Amino acid sequence: MTSATTTGVTGVEGAETGSRTGAKGGSAAGLRTGAEGGPGTEAEGGPGTGSWTGAEAGPWAGAEAGPWAEAEAGPWAEAGPWAEAGPWAEAGPWAEAGPWEELVTAALLGTDRRPGAGTPGELLDAAATQTLRRRAGLVPATAGTRPPDAPPDERPALPEAARRRLALLLADRSAPAHAGGRRGSAPDLGELLPQWLALANERGLRAPAELLPALLDAARARTDLRPQALAFAGPRGLWLARLNPEWRFAQRGASGSAVLPRPEDTESVQLLWQEGLFAERVALLGAVRAYDADAGRALLAATWTTERAEDRLMFLDSLRDGLSASDEPFLEQTLADRSRNVRATAAELLSALPGSALAGRMAERAASCVSLDRTGEVATISVEAPHECDAAMQRDGVAPRPPAGRGERSWWLGQLVESAPLDSWTRRLGGRSVPELVTLPVADDWGDELHAAWCRAAVRQRDAEWARALLGAPSAAPGEGAGTASLAERAKLLSILTEAERADWVARFISAHGLSEAFQLLGVCVVPWAGALGRAVVDALEIARDAGSYPWSFSGVMGLAERCLDPAESPRLEALTATPPEREGASPGAGGYWAEAFQRLVATLHLRATLRTELSA
């Protein structure tokens, strides 16, 4: 037999990098060839990539056998390894060159558990073959179909200064965060990107074509950016996303509004509804409903039974905008949907319609559980939670199984109360006003459960009167007075109020209680913060600094201030950028941190003002 060594690997009967070859010839990088000669040669010894110690012919030895010696005998001449049949023509079970993933799976599981992989030797041969393929590059293939031209985007182009700024923001988005909290006085450009996109969309500007890939990459990495980024990318961004699997999220998340047909164009609407991408169909449904609610609902009903469960859920959720009593018949039908999530969403939407039949059924059930007890000196609300969750309750959206740590009866009671019309309680509980109802004592420690359900009902039904009563006075400490003690519930209730009322309530809360519990409440206030709210935040930060408080406790509020504080407040902050003297009992290094934080805040406010100016040029 002939022994050959290539690139430091020795085999019997000609082997290289773990591959097995024919009887007398060695092959390069694991190619399987015929019995006598290496590929593309006329000698008995095959070519290699290192030094051959073959018995009969070295690869480059004589002029007769060298693969590159003569033009007519070059390795790719008439019968080179890539000619017609290719080097894998008759190579055992992997003749079709199975995908690399299949080879890896077979190697991990073993050939005993994957009989189709052949013997261990054949598996190694196939691995060497695929390795060569991967190293050699792609074989030229027939060109694919050219994609259609990108759709036009008629929006105005970005001003040049704004275009350069966007490039900087996108380049900085992946900057690593500093361990233990951000330090330094430089603004965080990545955190300004959402605000920049919101401003650009408000002005209806077009995304530069050369920045679309970076914009889509940013949206892929940060889900909070996607709505604004996809709206800014427009129809060209959606077109580009179809060409890259990594951007497939855009096909389900983009609004697609820039390429929608006119709602009155029935034929085009039907065509897009039948053949469009999911994102386009969602946007189309919203546009048609805004133009004609009945036509939009009919569009959805026509294909409802053929839609996937997750798509039905998204379509149903889009009915929240413009929800009206005319949607009730369709929603009642969906209460029998085969998807539990769809049924629950339909029940929630119906309960948001106080005049719906479902809301009436829930009111009757809730009334049987909550009543007014006048037997004592003071009227008290008495609660008797349901003892079972029957089939009728489940059909109306009551989930029978509570989450971990929650009792069944309280779980059922909460669902009944939150789905009942709020105006039914004034009649049920003695004709009292909403503030009076909220202040009534509740027997047997059911007060927190009842008030929490009323909070959810107020948010669902968008009832500002109940929201004000359940919020209570901002000066009252959480847990005292008539308002709910939960900050999460307060934040949701605040979202129902007008922007000015919301900002005023939170400003008074901060003035009374400081910033330690205001983070969630600040998150629902409109950006930029109104003057009174901004002043309350700055005053509270100054008080915390002067008191020697631990500075990192306020890093979240400081980050919110960088994004939400009105740039007009920056002159008031200039005096706080100096390092204060160390106070006795203060946290070590706190003064320097506060100085850096205020310097960064001022620099960020100046930059935000510049961004607005650049986009308005």
Side-chain angles (χ1 to χ4, degrees), residues 200-245:
N201 287 330
E202 285 176 9
R203 288 158 175 74
L205 299 174
R206 181 178 75 239
E210 68 275 13
L211 295 180
L212 283 176
L215 182 64
L216 291 171
D217 280 339
R220 179 172 64 91
R222 290 180 56 177
T223 56
D224 62 308
L225 284 179
R226 290 181 183 179
Q228 295 285 7
L230 295 177
F232 182 58
R236 289 186 173 181
L238 183 59
W239 171 87
L240 185 62
R242 295 171 182 167
L243 306 178
N244 187 345

Side-chain angles (χ1 to χ4, degrees), residues 51-80:
S51 62
W52 251 148
T53 56
E56 305 199 21
W60 324 114
E64 299 178 3
W68 318 107
E70 299 293 335
E72 61 269 21
W76 322 112
E78 297 180 358

